[in-house]
Structure formats: structure tokens, C-alpha cells
């Protein structure tokens, strides 16, 4: 493999990937600089710097032969690489980052650098409304290719999300929040995805995964894609886009644009907020407090009250 001018992976990126994947990622992280150098040589790119972001990949900025900056993204998990590239192919030409080159043998892609710099340009005033419109557009395209070979939401719910909720409920010391978790748990188990809303989901709609280009248009990046009910994306965005802030504003916008009723959408929100609370509790993240407040408010307001907020 080629020697890298970038040096070792940044400490922050290394820590995040080790926390996400465990010690098995250590050897790959040591090799990542050489892997990036190999594709840079293959694609005639000049490596410039790392970009310290993400929990599943190592990211670097490079220049092509026209001195245009591009983003290089190297995934530790080949399956995560294939899924993301597949989804970006479904959405090609839409409000995502364009894929320029792929190296399936190394699980690395060269991608458009949205906004000409890592993190994109400044966020506009009507950010929330613009992002909601983009999510709706992504779902519209995704419905036409819902047979794409990606993980299924139904499987994720039954094999991953619900089992981990139960496991964490049992093993964690929830203290005074135990009642809240017990109240929310039955409804999470009662979720039933609608096949009528099946589309390709982004499934990771944190605010950091929405950036803006030079025209001020929203682009959705770093999906963790699945195929399933659009309600999952809308609820995830409602809860996690700006945790603890303007939750019911986003819910109202999501309901209006998607056509999903507030009572149905709020049920998905409660399940996702529950999953988030237990995750933050397990890792000792300060976001635990906000997640608990969001879940408590969702539970207290209930399906009828949410629509009036």
C-alpha cells in the first residue's frame, strides 16, 4: 500500500470508531492512512487533510486534477459502505452528496464536497422547513425503488431496536426514570410499520447529517439506510434533529408534509425517544437529560395534545 502524507488518523476519529466498533477496528485504523493514499494514487488525487467527523468512517479532503476539492470516505465496515453507496445511487441527482468514484475492494469512495468545504455553508433562516421538504423529496424518489437491496426496517425493529430497548431496560439503573421507561415500553412494542409508506429511509437524520451547499440548499449526508415506513425518518428527525428544542414544531411540519397523522407520528416519536434515552444513559452522555425531558413531554402531552403545540 502507498505511504500517506496525512499521517495517523486523528485521535477524535479513532476514539469514535473504537467506541462504535470495538477493538477490532484498531488494526484497520492503523492501515486507513495507507488505504486513502492508495485510492488517491489510483484516482490521481492530492490528499490535503483529514476531516474530523463521523462514527463509522475516516474522512479526508483531497484535490482532483482540476484542483477541485473532493471528499474521501473510508468505511471500516464493508456492509455499511455498500449500503450507503447503494442508497446514494438511488438518490443520485437529488439532495444528497454525489458519488464520484468507488473502490469496492477497499470500501472507499470519492464524493462531492458539498459547499466546497467540510460541513458545508452557513445554515439559512428557514432551515427546518427546507430540510423537511428535502426529506419528503428523498422519500418520493425512494418509493420508486423500494425493492432496493438494503436492510429492512421491520427487521431492524424486531432484531435490533426492540431487543436492545428491553436489554437496556433490564440492565441499566434507571433510578427515578424507571417509571417513564416502563410507561413507554408497551407502545414501542406495539409499533406496526405501514407498507403503504415504504420508501428508502435515510434513518440517521441528526442535524450534523444535514448540510447546505453554495446555493443554500439542504443536502442529506451520511445515511444509515433502510427500506421501510417513512414514519421512522420523520419521527427520528422530530426527536433528534435538535434534541430538546422545537420538537413539536418539527412534528407538526412532519405531519403536514408527510400526511402522517400526529397521533401516529407521535407514537413513533415516543419509541425513538425511548431508544435514545436508554442509549445515552448507557454511555453516560449528557444528552441523557434532554432525551428524558423529550420522552416525558411526549408521554405527558399524548397524541391529542401534540397537534396543538
Amino acid at each position: 500500500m502507498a505511504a500517506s502524507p496525512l499521517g495517523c488518523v486523528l485521535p477524535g476519529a479513532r476514539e469514535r470508531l473504537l467506541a462504535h466498533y470495538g477493538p477490532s477496528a484498531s488494526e484497520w485504523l492503523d492501515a486507513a492512512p495507507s488505504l486513502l493514499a492508495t485510492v488517491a494514487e489510483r484516482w490521481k488525487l492530492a490528499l490535503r487533510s483529514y476531516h474530523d467527523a463521523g462514527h463509522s468512517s475516516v474522512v479526508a479532503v483531497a484535490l482532483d486534477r482540476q484542483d477541485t476539492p473532493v471528499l474521501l470516505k473510508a468505511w471500516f465496515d464493508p456492509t455499511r459502505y455498500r449500503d450507503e453507496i447503494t442508497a446514494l445511487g438511488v438518490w443520485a441527482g437529488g439532495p444528497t452528496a454525489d458519488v464520484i468514484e468507488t473502490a469496492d475492494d477497499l470500501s472507499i469512495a470519492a464524493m462531492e464536497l458539498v459547499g466546497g468545504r467540510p460541513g458545508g455553508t452557513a445554515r439559512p433562516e428557514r432551515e427546518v422547513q427546507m430540510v423537511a421538504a428535502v426529506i419528503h423529496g428523498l422519500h418520493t424518489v425512494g418509493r420508486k425503488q423500494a425493492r432496493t437491496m438494503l436492510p429492512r426496517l421491520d427487521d431492524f425493529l424486531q432484531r435490533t431496536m426492540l431487543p436492545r430497548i428491553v436489554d437496556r431496560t433490564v440492565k441499566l439503573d434507571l433510578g427515578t426514570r424507571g417509571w417513564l421507561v416502563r410507561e413507554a415500553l408497551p407502545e414501542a412494542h406495539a409499533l406496526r410499520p405501514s407498507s403503504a409508506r415504504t420508501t428508502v429511509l435515510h434513518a440517521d437524520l441528526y442535524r450534523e447529517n444535514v448540510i447546505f451547499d453554495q446555493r443554500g440548499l439542504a443536502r442529506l449526508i451520511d445515511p444509515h439506510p433502510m427500506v421501510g415506513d417513512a414514519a421512522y425518518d420523520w419521527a427520528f428527525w422530530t426527536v433528534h434533529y435538535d434534541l430538546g428544542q422545537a420538537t413539536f414544531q418539527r412534528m407538526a411540519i412532519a405531519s403536514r408534509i408527510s400526511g402522517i397523522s400526529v397521533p401516529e407520528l407521535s407514537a413513533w416519536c415516543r419509541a425513538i425517544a425511548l431508544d435514545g434515552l436508554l442509549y445515552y444513559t448507557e454511555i453516560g452522555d449528557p444528552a441523557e437529560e434532554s432525551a428524558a425531558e423529550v420522552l416525558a413531554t411526549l408521554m405527558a402531552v399524548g397524541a391529542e395534545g401534540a397537534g396543538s403545540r
Side-chain angles (χ1 to χ4, degrees), residues 132-211:
V134 164
I135 294 170
H136 182 64
L138 216 66
H139 288 169
T140 300
V141 173
R143 277 195 291 273
K144 300 173 184 176
Q145 300 193 48
R147 294 185 180 273
T148 299
M149 295 300 293
L150 286 168
R152 316 302 289 190
L153 174 63
D154 294 44
D155 292 338
F156 169 72
L157 290 175
Q158 297 304 318
R159 299 179 185 177
T160 301
M161 180 173 157
L162 292 173
R164 75 188 178 200
I165 285 175
V166 172
D167 179 63
R168 287 166 174 163
T169 299
V170 171
K171 76 179 185 181
L172 293 177
D173 179 6
L174 299 172
T176 58
R177 297 192 182 120
W179 70 271
L180 180 60
V181 171
R182 288 190 294 272
E183 287 288 319
L185 191 56
E187 190 173 31
H189 281 284
L191 283 179
R192 294 293 181 268
S194 168
S195 59
R197 296 191 294 256
T198 298
T199 187
V200 178
L201 304 171
H202 183 285
D204 212 24
L205 286 167
Y206 294 102
R207 195 166 185 249
E208 66 201 53
N209 290 337
V210 181
I211 60 178

Side-chain angles (χ1 to χ4, degrees), residues 8-9 13-33 35 58 76:
C8 297
V9 171
R14 187 180 189 92
E15 290 173 12
R16 289 192 300 275
L17 266 79
L18 288 173
H20 190 72
Y21 291 111
S24 62
S26 182
E27 186 176 346
W28 179 86
L29 285 162
D30 292 339
L35 298 176
V58 171
F76 166 71

Side-chain angles (χ1 to χ4, degrees), residues 82-280:
R82 288 192 298 270
D83 288 348
E84 186 164 335
I85 295 302
T86 297
L88 291 174
V90 168
W91 299 319
T96 56
D98 292 334
V99 178
I100 301 168
E101 299 276 7
T102 57
D104 293 346
D105 55 327
L106 300 176
S107 299
I108 299 178
M111 308 175 75
E112 172 193 11
L113 184 60
V114 175
R117 64 184 187 187
T121 61
R123 295 176 181 272
E125 288 185 10
R126 291 181 56 81
E127 173 185 351
V128 172
Q129 291 83 353
M130 292 176 66
V131 174
V134 164
I135 294 170
H136 182 64
L138 216 66
H139 288 169
T140 300
V141 173
R143 277 195 291 273
K144 300 173 184 176
Q145 300 193 48
R147 294 185 180 273
T148 299
M149 295 300 293
L150 286 168
R152 316 302 289 190
L153 174 63
D154 294 44
D155 292 338
F156 169 72
L157 290 175
Q158 297 304 318
R159 299 179 185 177
T160 301
M161 180 173 157
L162 292 173
R164 75 188 178 200
I165 285 175
V166 172
D167 179 63
R168 287 166 174 163
T169 299
V170 171
K171 76 179 185 181
L172 293 177
D173 179 6
L174 299 172
T176 58
R177 297 192 182 120
W179 70 271
L180 180 60
V181 171
R182 288 190 294 272
E183 287 288 319
L185 191 56
E187 190 173 31
H189 281 284
L191 283 179
R192 294 293 181 268
S194 168
S195 59
R197 296 191 294 256
T198 298
T199 187
V200 178
L201 304 171
H202 183 285
D204 212 24
L205 286 167
Y206 294 102
R207 195 166 185 249
E208 66 201 53
N209 290 337
V210 181
I211 60 178
F212 291 82
D213 62 20
Q214 291 97 327
R215 298 172 295 170
L217 301 178
R219 302 283 200 95
L220 307 184
I221 63 170
D222 296 346
H224 197 173
M226 296 184 285
V227 172
D229 190 339
Y232 180 87
D233 260 358
W234 287 113
F236 194 104
W237 178 70
T238 295
V239 171
H240 286 300
Y241 189 75
D242 192 3
L243 185 64
Q245 302 297 319
T247 304
F248 291 103
Q249 177 194 11
R250 287 193 297 277
M251 187 188 294
I253 292 171
S255 177
R256 184 172 66 252
I257 292 181
S258 69
I260 304 170
S261 70
V262 166
E264 189 172 4
L265 189 57
S266 61
W268 282 89
C269 288
R270 287 190 283 275
I272 288 171
L274 171 62
D275 189 36
L277 168 60
L278 292 170
Y279 168 69
Y280 292 133

Side-chain angles (χ1 to χ4, degrees), residues 54-68:
H55 294 77
S56 62
S57 60
V58 171
V59 181
V61 177
L63 297 178
D64 67 13
R65 281 173 285 191
Q66 286 73 46
D67 287 333
T68 301

